[in-house]
């Protein structure tokens, strides 16, 4: 069985200066796929948060390692996989954080994962400390069973 998926790949050093290149890479593919400006901004921000986390936490005290960004696009969705080979983290501890309690304690930062989950339709983490960490984020073209405006216009 064959699947019609378009695949894109960017491997880039994990440096803050490269975040703009990453945003341009992701937003141009999302725009080409037909997402509207609001969703493109959400996708761009979610990817920016994920990559900033890699730069800040995965490679914090080490030589700046690479960030691998793979994008798969089919007729239903855009899937973005961001992979690093940094130190990793305990996914269960991060996901158990009570956001309301965290905000009430007036912490600065630390909401990147919460933000990614709010901006994308699906977000999954797979971290094998010392080996690799992968964040998989999905944005569907369908909203409430209907095509988004830009996608619907392409078909008529």
């Amino acid at each position: 069985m064959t699947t019609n998926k378009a695949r894109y790949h960017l491997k880039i050093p994990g440096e803050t200066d490269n975040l703009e290149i990453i945003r341009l890479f992701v937003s141009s593919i999302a725009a080409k796929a037909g997402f509207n400006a609001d969703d493109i901004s959400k996708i761009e921000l979610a990817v920016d948060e994920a990559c900033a986390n890699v730069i800040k936490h995965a490679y914090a005290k080490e030589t700046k390692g690479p960030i691998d960004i793979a994008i798969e696009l089919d007729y239903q969705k855009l899937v973005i996989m961001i992979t690093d080979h940094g130190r990793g983290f305990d996914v269960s501890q991060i996901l158990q954080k009570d956001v309301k309690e965290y905000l009430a304690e007036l912490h600065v930062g630390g909401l990147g994962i919460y933000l990614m989950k709010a901006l994308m339709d699906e977000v999954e983490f797979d971290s094998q400390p010392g080996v690799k960490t992968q964040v998989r984020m999905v944005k569907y073209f369908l909203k409430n069973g209907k095509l988004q405006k830009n996608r619907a216009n392409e078909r008529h």
Side-chain angles (χ1 to χ4, degrees), residues 48-79:
D48 194 70
E49 283 295 326
C51 292
N53 281 344
V54 171
I55 293 165
K56 185 175 180 181
H57 302 292
Y59 299 126
K61 294 180 181 174
E62 305 163 20
T63 303
K64 301 299 179 192
I67 300 175
D68 237 319
I69 302 158
I71 298 176
E72 292 180 359
L73 183 64
D74 65 26
Y75 72 99
Q76 292 181 313
K77 63 191 176 298
L78 176 83
V79 179

Side-chain angles (χ1 to χ4, degrees), residues 20-35:
E20 183 177 354
I21 295 168
I22 294 167
R23 287 190 298 269
L24 287 171
F25 171 70
V26 171
S27 65
S28 64
I29 293 169
K32 185 176 178 181
F35 282 99

Side-chain angles (χ1 to χ4, degrees), residues 35-103:
F35 282 99
N36 63 36
D38 184 49
D39 278 340
I40 292 169
S41 294
K42 290 176 181 176
I43 293 166
E44 194 179 78
L45 183 55
V47 169
D48 194 70
E49 283 295 326
C51 292
N53 281 344
V54 171
I55 293 165
K56 185 175 180 181
H57 302 292
Y59 299 126
K61 294 180 181 174
E62 305 163 20
T63 303
K64 301 299 179 192
I67 300 175
D68 237 319
I69 302 158
I71 298 176
E72 292 180 359
L73 183 64
D74 65 26
Y75 72 99
Q76 292 181 313
K77 63 191 176 298
L78 176 83
V79 179
I80 303 167
M81 290 164 286
I82 299 168
T83 306
D84 71 71
H85 298 280
R87 62 178 141 178
F89 62 97
D90 183 347
V91 176
S92 64
Q93 280 193 335
I94 299 293
L95 297 178
Q96 290 175 357
K97 186 187 296 183
D98 182 335
V99 174
K100 288 182 182 178
E101 182 179 311
Y102 186 80
L103 290 172

